[in-house]
Amino acid sequence: MSINTSNSGVLIESDVLSATLKDRLEEKLMGQDFVSMVEFGEGNTLRIPSIGQFIAGKDYVEGDEVKFQSPDLGEFTFTITEYDESGFSISDKVKQDTSYASQALAKYIAEMTKSLEVAVEVEIMKIINSNQTASDLNAINGAAHRFVASGAIDTLTTKDLRRAKFALKKANVPLTNIVAIVDPSCEEALRTDTDIQAAIQNTPRWSDLISSGFSNDLNFLGSYEGIDIYSSNYLPVVGAETVDSVAVANGVANYVFSADPSVETMMFGWRQMPEAEFFRNTTRKQDEYTATQRYGTGLYRPEGAVTILTDSTQAF
Protein backbone atom coordinates (compact mmCIF):
# COMPACT_ATOMS: atom_id res chain seq x y z
CA MET A 1 0.00 0.00 0.00
CA SER A 2 1.26 3.41 -0.94
CA ILE A 3 0.92 6.13 1.71
CA ASN A 4 0.95 9.71 0.45
CA THR A 5 -0.71 13.04 1.13
CA SER A 6 -3.75 12.17 -0.99
CA ASN A 7 -4.84 9.25 1.17
CA SER A 8 -3.47 10.15 4.61
CA GLY A 9 -4.64 13.71 5.11
CA VAL A 10 -6.33 12.85 8.40
CA LEU A 11 -2.90 12.00 9.82
CA ILE A 12 -1.34 15.31 8.78
CA GLU A 13 -1.58 18.39 10.99
CA SER A 14 -2.14 21.22 8.55
CA ASP A 15 -2.33 23.80 11.35
CA VAL A 16 0.66 23.76 13.66
CA LEU A 17 0.38 25.87 16.80
CA SER A 18 3.35 27.64 18.28
CA ALA A 19 4.45 26.75 21.77
CA THR A 20 4.42 30.42 22.79
CA LEU A 21 1.98 33.31 22.65
CA LYS A 22 2.70 36.52 20.80
CA ASP A 23 3.30 39.57 22.97
CA ARG A 24 2.21 43.06 21.96
CA LEU A 25 4.77 45.85 21.74
CA GLU A 26 4.64 48.38 24.54
CA GLU A 27 6.01 51.89 25.03
CA LYS A 28 8.18 52.88 27.96
CA LEU A 29 6.17 54.79 30.55
CA MET A 30 7.76 57.88 32.08
CA GLY A 31 5.01 60.14 33.44
CA GLN A 32 5.69 59.41 37.12
CA ASP A 33 9.31 60.53 36.64
CA PHE A 34 8.11 64.12 36.13
CA VAL A 35 5.56 64.63 38.92
CA SER A 36 5.91 65.52 42.58
CA MET A 37 4.29 62.99 44.87
CA VAL A 38 1.66 64.22 47.32
CA GLU A 39 1.36 62.52 50.70
CA PHE A 40 -2.29 61.94 51.57
CA GLY A 41 -3.78 61.35 55.00
CA GLU A 42 -7.54 60.97 55.22
CA GLY A 43 -10.21 62.27 52.88
CA ASN A 44 -9.96 62.87 49.16
CA THR A 45 -9.13 66.60 49.04
CA LEU A 46 -5.91 68.35 50.04
CA ARG A 47 -5.75 72.15 50.30
CA ILE A 48 -2.40 73.95 50.08
CA PRO A 49 -2.39 77.69 50.91
CA SER A 50 -0.24 79.94 48.70
CA ILE A 51 1.22 83.41 49.22
CA GLY A 52 1.47 85.88 46.34
CA GLN A 53 4.21 88.36 45.51
CA PHE A 54 4.83 91.52 47.56
CA ILE A 55 5.58 94.65 45.54
CA ALA A 56 7.62 97.37 47.24
CA GLY A 57 6.05 100.83 47.38
CA LYS A 58 7.75 103.81 45.80
CA ASP A 59 8.28 107.46 46.80
CA TYR A 60 8.23 107.02 50.55
CA VAL A 61 8.20 110.39 52.28
CA GLU A 62 10.18 110.79 55.46
CA GLY A 63 7.94 110.92 58.49
CA ASP A 64 4.93 109.36 56.75
CA GLU A 65 3.45 106.07 57.82
CA VAL A 66 4.49 103.05 55.78
CA LYS A 67 1.64 101.79 53.65
CA PHE A 68 0.71 98.22 54.53
CA GLN A 69 -0.06 95.74 51.78
CA SER A 70 -2.84 93.24 51.98
CA PRO A 71 -1.36 89.76 51.52
CA ASP A 72 -2.24 88.11 48.23
CA LEU A 73 -3.40 84.71 49.38
CA GLY A 74 -4.57 81.76 47.33
CA GLU A 75 -5.21 78.07 47.65
CA PHE A 76 -4.29 75.05 45.59
CA THR A 77 -6.84 72.25 45.83
CA PHE A 78 -5.73 68.71 45.09
CA THR A 79 -8.47 66.11 44.77
CA ILE A 80 -8.52 62.33 44.35
CA THR A 81 -10.60 61.96 41.20
CA GLU A 82 -9.55 58.73 39.48
CA TYR A 83 -10.73 55.23 40.42
CA ASP A 84 -9.48 52.68 37.88
CA GLU A 85 -10.35 49.02 37.54
CA SER A 86 -9.05 46.09 35.55
CA GLY A 87 -9.92 42.41 35.61
CA PHE A 88 -10.46 39.16 33.77
CA SER A 89 -11.73 35.64 34.38
CA ILE A 90 -10.70 32.26 33.04
CA SER A 91 -13.11 29.33 33.07
CA ASP A 92 -12.33 25.79 34.10
CA LYS A 93 -13.23 24.57 30.61
CA VAL A 94 -10.64 26.85 29.00
CA LYS A 95 -7.99 25.68 31.44
CA GLN A 96 -8.86 22.08 30.63
CA ASP A 97 -9.06 22.42 26.86
CA THR A 98 -6.03 24.53 25.96
CA SER A 99 -2.34 23.98 26.47
CA TYR A 100 -1.90 27.74 26.53
CA ALA A 101 -3.78 28.18 29.80
CA SER A 102 -0.76 28.67 32.07
CA GLN A 103 0.94 31.02 29.58
CA ALA A 104 -2.24 32.97 29.02
CA LEU A 105 -2.86 33.34 32.74
CA ALA A 106 0.61 34.75 33.38
CA LYS A 107 0.33 37.18 30.47
CA TYR A 108 -3.19 38.29 31.40
CA ILE A 109 -2.09 39.09 34.95
CA ALA A 110 0.82 41.13 33.57
CA GLU A 111 -1.52 42.88 31.12
CA MET A 112 -3.98 43.67 33.91
CA THR A 113 -1.20 45.37 35.88
CA LYS A 114 0.10 47.13 32.78
CA SER A 115 -3.35 48.52 31.96
CA LEU A 116 -3.42 50.30 35.32
CA GLU A 117 0.06 51.72 34.72
CA VAL A 118 -1.02 53.01 31.32
CA ALA A 119 -4.13 54.58 32.86
CA VAL A 120 -1.89 56.54 35.22
CA GLU A 121 0.39 57.58 32.36
CA VAL A 122 -2.57 58.87 30.34
CA GLU A 123 -3.85 60.94 33.27
CA ILE A 124 -0.42 62.43 33.97
CA MET A 125 -0.07 63.40 30.31
CA LYS A 126 -3.43 65.20 30.55
CA ILE A 127 -2.46 67.37 33.52
CA ILE A 128 -1.10 70.43 31.72
CA ASN A 129 -3.61 70.46 28.86
CA SER A 130 -6.65 69.92 31.06
CA ASN A 131 -5.65 72.75 33.39
CA GLN A 132 -5.27 75.32 30.63
CA THR A 133 -8.01 77.18 28.79
CA ALA A 134 -8.48 75.90 25.23
CA SER A 135 -8.29 78.44 22.38
CA ASP A 136 -6.51 80.90 24.66
CA LEU A 137 -2.90 82.01 25.01
CA ASN A 138 -3.00 81.38 28.77
CA ALA A 139 -0.57 84.29 29.07
CA ILE A 140 1.45 84.78 32.25
CA ASN A 141 3.49 87.96 32.65
CA GLY A 142 2.73 88.76 29.01
CA ALA A 143 4.10 85.50 27.57
CA ALA A 144 1.92 82.80 25.99
CA HIS A 145 1.81 79.42 27.70
CA ARG A 146 -0.33 77.86 24.96
CA PHE A 147 0.14 78.38 21.24
CA VAL A 148 0.12 76.64 17.86
CA ALA A 149 3.47 75.55 16.43
CA SER A 150 5.01 77.88 13.86
CA GLY A 151 6.26 75.31 11.32
CA ALA A 152 4.70 74.45 7.96
CA ILE A 153 1.25 72.90 8.51
CA ASP A 154 1.62 73.39 12.26
CA THR A 155 4.79 71.34 12.73
CA LEU A 156 7.16 71.84 15.64
CA THR A 157 10.25 74.02 15.17
CA THR A 158 13.15 75.09 17.35
CA LYS A 159 11.59 78.55 17.40
CA ASP A 160 8.64 77.04 19.29
CA LEU A 161 10.97 75.47 21.86
CA ARG A 162 12.73 78.81 22.35
CA ARG A 163 9.36 80.59 22.68
CA ALA A 164 8.31 78.10 25.35
CA LYS A 165 11.57 78.59 27.22
CA PHE A 166 11.05 82.36 27.04
CA ALA A 167 7.58 81.96 28.59
CA LEU A 168 9.06 79.98 31.48
CA LYS A 169 11.74 82.61 32.01
CA LYS A 170 9.17 85.43 32.05
CA ALA A 171 7.30 83.47 34.75
CA ASN A 172 10.48 83.29 36.88
CA VAL A 173 10.73 79.54 36.49
CA PRO A 174 14.28 78.23 37.08
CA LEU A 175 15.72 77.18 33.73
CA THR A 176 17.17 73.98 35.11
CA ASN A 177 15.80 70.54 34.30
CA ILE A 178 13.52 71.79 31.52
CA VAL A 179 11.78 68.93 29.72
CA ALA A 180 9.85 68.73 26.46
CA ILE A 181 7.52 65.81 25.75
CA VAL A 182 6.45 65.69 22.11
CA ASP A 183 4.28 63.47 19.97
CA PRO A 184 6.16 61.03 17.69
CA SER A 185 4.84 63.04 14.73
CA CYS A 186 7.18 65.84 15.83
CA GLU A 187 10.32 63.72 15.73
CA GLU A 188 10.93 64.00 11.98
CA ALA A 189 10.39 67.76 12.03
CA LEU A 190 12.98 68.11 14.79
CA ARG A 191 15.45 65.73 13.17
CA THR A 192 15.40 67.67 9.90
CA ASP A 193 15.28 71.16 11.44
CA THR A 194 18.46 73.01 10.42
CA ASP A 195 18.83 74.61 13.85
CA ILE A 196 18.53 71.21 15.52
CA GLN A 197 21.11 69.70 13.20
CA ALA A 198 23.50 72.54 13.98
CA ALA A 199 22.93 72.90 17.71
CA ILE A 200 21.53 69.70 19.23
CA GLN A 201 23.70 68.39 22.04
CA ASN A 202 23.58 64.78 23.18
CA THR A 203 25.13 64.02 26.53
CA PRO A 204 28.06 61.56 26.62
CA ARG A 205 25.78 58.98 28.12
CA TRP A 206 23.76 58.90 24.93
CA SER A 207 26.48 59.46 22.31
CA ASP A 208 26.94 55.80 21.35
CA LEU A 209 23.19 55.27 21.29
CA ILE A 210 22.58 58.26 19.03
CA SER A 211 25.10 57.02 16.47
CA SER A 212 23.54 53.56 16.35
CA GLY A 213 19.88 54.50 16.53
CA PHE A 214 17.25 54.66 19.24
CA SER A 215 16.18 51.62 21.21
CA ASN A 216 12.45 50.84 21.28
CA ASP A 217 12.23 51.33 25.04
CA LEU A 218 14.00 54.69 25.19
CA ASN A 219 12.04 57.84 24.38
CA PHE A 220 14.89 60.34 24.78
CA LEU A 221 15.55 62.28 21.57
CA GLY A 222 18.22 64.75 22.62
CA SER A 223 18.77 68.14 24.24
CA TYR A 224 18.34 71.54 22.62
CA GLU A 225 19.24 74.78 24.41
CA GLY A 226 18.92 73.14 27.80
CA ILE A 227 15.63 71.40 26.99
CA ASP A 228 15.67 67.58 27.25
CA ILE A 229 13.32 66.27 24.57
CA TYR A 230 11.33 63.03 24.91
CA SER A 231 8.57 61.50 22.79
CA SER A 232 5.36 59.87 23.97
CA ASN A 233 2.33 58.22 22.39
CA TYR A 234 0.16 59.21 25.35
CA LEU A 235 -0.08 62.96 24.86
CA PRO A 236 -3.69 64.20 24.66
CA VAL A 237 -5.35 64.78 21.30
CA VAL A 238 -7.19 68.12 21.22
CA GLY A 239 -8.54 68.02 17.66
CA ALA A 240 -9.35 71.34 16.02
CA GLU A 241 -8.36 74.43 18.00
CA THR A 242 -7.55 78.06 17.24
CA VAL A 243 -5.21 80.09 19.45
CA ASP A 244 -4.48 83.75 18.73
CA SER A 245 -6.04 83.41 15.23
CA VAL A 246 -3.81 80.44 14.34
CA ALA A 247 -5.69 77.18 13.75
CA VAL A 248 -4.62 73.56 14.01
CA ALA A 249 -6.79 70.83 12.49
CA ASN A 250 -5.61 67.59 14.10
CA GLY A 251 -4.07 69.00 17.24
CA VAL A 252 -2.02 67.16 19.81
CA ALA A 253 -0.73 68.84 22.96
CA ASN A 254 3.07 68.83 23.30
CA TYR A 255 4.64 70.14 26.50
CA VAL A 256 7.65 72.11 27.65
CA PHE A 257 7.84 72.32 31.44
CA SER A 258 10.07 72.46 34.48
CA ALA A 259 10.81 69.06 35.98
CA ASP A 260 12.89 70.66 38.75
CA PRO A 261 11.83 69.17 42.12
CA SER A 262 11.88 72.64 43.69
CA VAL A 263 9.27 73.90 41.22
CA GLU A 264 6.80 71.00 41.54
CA THR A 265 4.99 71.84 38.31
CA MET A 266 2.76 68.75 38.37
CA MET A 267 1.53 66.78 41.35
CA PHE A 268 0.36 63.22 41.76
CA GLY A 269 -1.03 61.45 44.80
CA TRP A 270 -2.12 57.92 45.63
CA ARG A 271 -5.19 57.26 47.74
CA GLN A 272 -4.88 53.56 46.96
CA MET A 273 -1.94 52.09 45.10
CA PRO A 274 -2.73 49.22 42.70
CA GLU A 275 -4.17 46.25 44.58
CA ALA A 276 -4.83 42.89 42.95
CA GLU A 277 -7.24 40.23 44.23
CA PHE A 278 -8.10 36.67 43.30
CA PHE A 279 -11.53 35.11 43.72
CA ARG A 280 -12.60 31.54 43.01
CA ASN A 281 -16.16 31.68 41.67
CA THR A 282 -17.50 28.20 42.38
CA THR A 283 -20.95 28.84 40.91
CA ARG A 284 -19.57 30.02 37.56
CA LYS A 285 -16.65 27.57 37.68
CA GLN A 286 -14.04 30.18 36.89
CA ASP A 287 -11.07 31.99 38.43
CA GLU A 288 -11.46 35.76 38.65
CA TYR A 289 -8.67 38.34 38.92
CA THR A 290 -9.30 42.02 39.63
CA ALA A 291 -7.23 45.10 40.42
CA THR A 292 -8.13 48.67 41.36
CA GLN A 293 -6.34 51.94 42.12
CA ARG A 294 -7.29 55.46 43.26
CA TYR A 295 -5.27 58.62 42.72
CA GLY A 296 -5.39 62.26 41.75
CA THR A 297 -3.37 64.70 39.66
CA GLY A 298 -2.98 68.45 39.59
CA LEU A 299 -1.10 71.33 37.98
CA TYR A 300 0.52 72.96 41.00
CA ARG A 301 2.35 75.69 39.08
CA PRO A 302 0.63 76.72 35.83
CA GLU A 303 3.52 79.10 35.18
CA GLY A 304 5.87 76.13 35.00
CA ALA A 305 4.34 74.59 31.87
CA VAL A 306 3.79 75.48 28.22
CA THR A 307 1.62 73.68 25.64
CA ILE A 308 2.57 73.69 21.96
CA LEU A 309 -0.17 72.43 19.64
CA THR A 310 0.96 70.55 16.52
CA ASP A 311 -0.80 68.67 13.75
CA SER A 312 -0.42 64.97 14.55
CA THR A 313 -0.92 63.95 10.89
CA GLN A 314 2.13 65.87 9.63
CA ALA A 315 4.89 63.38 10.44
CA PHE A 316 6.58 63.25 7.02
Side-chain angles (χ1 to χ4, degrees), residues 50-53 72 76 127-128 131-132 137-147 163-176 178-179 255-260 262-266 298-307:
S50 62
I51 299 176
Q53 182 180 18
D72 182 15
F76 171 76
I127 294 176
I128 297 173
N131 284 278
Q132 290 184 336
L137 288 171
N138 291 263
I140 299 175
N141 293 345
H145 281 245
R146 187 181 185 90
F147 55 87
R163 183 180 179 183
K165 187 176 178 180
F166 166 76
L168 297 179
K169 188 172 184 178
K170 287 286 289 182
N172 300 314
V173 176
L175 298 182
T176 55
I178 302 300
V179 168
Y255 303 136
V256 178
F257 61 95
S258 171
D260 192 303
S262 67
V263 177
E264 298 183 319
T265 301
M266 296 182 285
L299 184 63
Y300 187 56
R301 294 194 186 274
E303 66 271 30
V306 177
T307 298

Side-chain angles (χ1 to χ4, degrees), residues 85-301:
E85 64 176 355
S86 185
F88 71 94
S89 65
I90 182 168
S91 69
D92 289 354
K93 189 173 186 301
V94 168
K95 290 190 294 183
Q96 296 162 3
D97 292 349
T98 177
S99 60
Y100 289 109
S102 59
Q103 285 189 60
L105 180 60
K107 291 183 183 296
Y108 287 164
I109 292 175
E111 282 294 316
M112 181 178 70
T113 304
K114 183 71 173 181
S115 69
L116 295 179
E117 295 174 351
V118 170
V120 168
E121 182 84 356
V122 169
E123 290 303 319
I124 290 176
M125 292 301 172
K126 288 180 182 178
I127 294 176
I128 297 173
N129 181 66
S130 62
N131 284 278
Q132 290 184 336
T133 302
S135 302
D136 186 89
L137 288 171
N138 291 263
I140 299 175
N141 293 345
H145 281 245
R146 187 181 185 90
F147 55 87
V148 178
S150 61
I153 322 179
D154 308 321
T155 53
L156 187 66
T157 69
T158 51
K159 176 183 177 181
D160 301 316
L161 297 177
R162 294 194 300 271
R163 183 180 179 183
K165 187 176 178 180
F166 166 76
L168 297 179
K169 188 172 184 178
K170 287 286 289 182
N172 300 314
V173 176
L175 298 182
T176 55
N177 203 1
I178 302 300
V179 168
I181 301 181
V182 303
D183 187 75
S185 61
C186 297
E187 290 186 39
E188 182 64 15
L190 289 176
R191 290 182 193 279
T192 57
D193 187 290
T194 54
D195 286 345
I196 282 282
Q197 293 300 315
I200 196 164
Q201 298 295 321
N202 296 294
T203 64
R205 176 186 173 192
W206 301 99
S207 58
D208 293 338
L209 178 63
I210 300 303
S211 63
S212 60
F214 293 96
S215 174
N216 287 336
D217 62 345
L218 296 178
N219 297 344
F220 180 77
L221 302 183
S223 180
Y224 174 75
E225 295 216 352
I227 304 173
D228 291 334
I229 307 169
Y230 297 80
S231 69
S232 172
N233 277 310
Y234 296 109
L235 291 168
V237 174
V238 301
E241 184 172 332
T242 301
V243 182
D244 197 27
S245 301
V246 181
V248 61
N250 305 285
V252 60
N254 307 271
Y255 303 136
V256 178
F257 61 95
S258 171
D260 192 303
S262 67
V263 177
E264 298 183 319
T265 301
M266 296 182 285
M267 284 191 167
F268 179 93
W270 289 109
R271 162 51 67 211
Q272 174 204 312
M273 295 189 70
E275 292 182 0
E277 295 180 307
F278 166 78
F279 176 72
R280 172 60 186 172
N281 192 323
T282 57
T283 58
R284 291 178 178 266
K285 297 303 178 184
Q286 63 185 21
D287 294 338
E288 298 173 353
Y289 298 82
T290 62
T292 57
Q293 61 187 12
R294 288 184 67 203
Y295 57 92
T297 62
L299 184 63
Y300 187 56
R301 294 194 186 274

